[in-house]
Amino acid sequence: MSNTEPSPTTAPEGIAEVDAATHGPDHSEPQVLVITGMSGAGRTRAAAVLEDLDWYVVDNLPPMMLVPLVDLMAKGSSIERVAVVVDVRGREFFSELDKVLVHMTEAGVAYRILFLDASDEVLVRRFEQVRRPHPLQGDGRILDGIAEERSVVATLAARADLRIDTSDLSVHDLSREIRTWLAHDGEQQLRINVISFGFKYGIPLDADHVVDVRFLANPYWITELRHLTGRDQPVRDYVLARPGAVEFVDRYVDALAPVLAGYLNEEKRYVTIAVGCTGGKHRSVAISDAIAQRLRARGQLVSVSARDLGRE
């Protein structure tokens, strides 16, 4: 393969090999979220939700380590949002959390506290289900450990920005509570990946939806278009001019609207739409771009990739 520049016809200017995902709003100041609360109340689940929302999550961080972490963020780190799980597992280090929060306030670092709680009865049942002792139980009962923990975290509970009682919440309910609280940062959106592929190479294993566009005439049989791809304008124009092509794209995107809303409600945050043709070079690539364009116009976060482009 030569190192000469690609023909402008086969690599038209402005059409990227793989479209970058649309990013959420930029944050000029570091965001810090402290996840704490009662053991067994759902801190692990809360941390997982934050990870899904692209927060940098650190579990069981000694409070004094939070200061250098925030300093690192402020000095130009690519990490802009950090969530730290701090709880009584830190033993004597946990008592330092109040001092650290005061230090951050004096330094002008904005932080929020998410406190998770549940009734004693529910907490006991959860510990019994996993057959693990409470971290402060010692030689006593689970209830003894819970009582001591409530005393230790009382101050944090009083100053929390959001306090969630998970006694009657499912893991999905808890996720929705957290996402709703953070909704002003745009975390409620789905991340949609539209991927083109060739059926002769197999259907993508992670596809949630599979779209077959082999009903459209194949540009491969047009001599002038055979060496081009669905990212070249001549091929795009040809594919979208086929009878039913634009109508199909429009109706498919319309049909996706209630599906995507349902995914959000059911806590599914990543959706893969696989668009296939015979070889994954012409029709599927052009239709993938058309679907992505319409989804973006509706405010969705969309990335596009062409799995089999160049395999022929």
Side-chain angles (χ1 to χ4, degrees):
M1 192 172 188
S2 67
N3 293 325
T4 58
E5 290 188 7
S7 165
T9 305
T10 58
E13 183 178 358
I15 300 178
E17 279 295 312
V18 179
D19 290 350
T22 305
H23 295 287
D26 292 330
H27 305 284
S28 55
E29 296 294 333
Q31 297 185 65
V32 179
L33 178 61
V34 177
I35 302 172
T36 189
M38 295 297 294
S39 301
R43 295 184 309 246
T44 300
R45 177 59 186 173
V49 172
L50 270 295
E51 282 189 340
D52 288 344
L53 298 177
D54 274 346
W55 286 65
Y56 183 79
V57 179
V58 183
D59 188 20
N60 199 18
L61 182 74
M64 290 305 295
M65 297 301 295
L66 182 55
V67 174
L69 178 59
V70 173
D71 289 342
L72 180 64
M73 294 169 61
K75 292 178 180 178
S77 168
S78 60
I79 299 172
E80 296 178 335
R81 302 182 299 179
V82 62
V84 295
V85 181
V86 182
D87 52 68
V88 295
R89 288 175 298 167
R91 301 184 183 277
E92 64 267 20
F93 295 120
F94 182 73
S95 62
E96 301 171 346
L97 181 57
D98 282 337
K99 296 179 182 179
V100 171
L101 295 179
V102 170
H103 172 80
M104 289 200 297
T105 300
E106 293 175 347
V109 177
Y111 66 86
R112 289 174 289 178
I113 299 175
L114 169 61
F115 189 94
L116 299 173
D117 200 354
S119 68
D120 289 0
E121 178 184 359
V122 169
L123 293 176
V124 169
R125 184 168 66 248
R126 290 175 181 173
F127 275 105
E128 288 179 341
Q129 287 174 344
V130 297
R131 299 182 179 181
R132 296 191 64 187
H134 187 281
L136 299 183
Q137 179 177 341
D139 295 329
R141 301 179 303 162
I142 294 176
L143 275 173
D144 295 331
I146 292 173
E148 182 176 350
E149 185 176 24
R150 287 204 183 280
S151 175
V152 171
V153 302
T155 302
L156 281 174
R159 64 192 299 182
D161 295 277
L162 176 64
R163 183 171 178 172
I164 301 177
D165 188 325
T166 67
S167 300
D168 300 316
L169 299 183
S170 68
V171 292
H172 299 303
D173 292 333
L174 175 57
S175 297
R176 274 189 283 271
E177 290 267 359
I178 296 172
R179 292 176 191 276
T180 299
W181 182 45
L182 297 173
H184 66 278
D185 287 331
E187 283 94 348
Q188 289 285 51
Q189 288 183 280
L190 285 169
R191 297 182 182 185
I192 304 172
N193 179 35
V194 182
I195 178 172
S196 61
F197 72 96
F199 276 97
K200 69 180 182 180
Y201 301 117
I203 297 174
L205 295 176
D206 59 346
D208 298 296
H209 294 254
V210 176
V211 180
D212 186 353
V213 296
R214 289 176 293 183
F215 69 92
L216 299 171
N218 193 346
Y220 179 85
W221 302 112
I222 308 297
T223 303
E224 294 81 6
L225 302 179
R226 180 175 300 177
H227 71 291
L228 304 178
T229 77
R231 290 206 169 110
D232 294 319
Q233 196 63 47
V235 174
R236 291 188 187 210
D237 292 343
Y238 177 86
V239 171
L240 293 175
R242 297 308 90 205
V246 172
E247 181 183 11
F248 169 78
V249 171
D250 290 339
R251 291 193 178 187
Y252 179 69
V253 172
D254 286 341
L256 278 176
V259 177
L260 300 182
Y263 282 155
L264 279 172
N265 188 57
E266 291 302 314
E267 296 299 315
K268 182 176 175 62
R269 298 294 148 179
Y270 303 90
V271 179
T272 298
I273 299 172
V275 182
C277 63
T278 302
K281 179 179 179 180
H282 297 106
R283 294 166 290 180
S284 61
V285 177
I287 296 298
S288 291
D289 286 340
I291 290 173
Q293 182 181 33
R294 285 158 175 77
L295 287 172
R296 287 187 182 125
R298 298 187 180 201
Q300 299 288 350
L301 300 178
V302 186
S303 63
V304 181
S305 58
R307 190 194 70 177
D308 298 326
L309 203 58
R311 290 186 66 172
E312 72 286 342

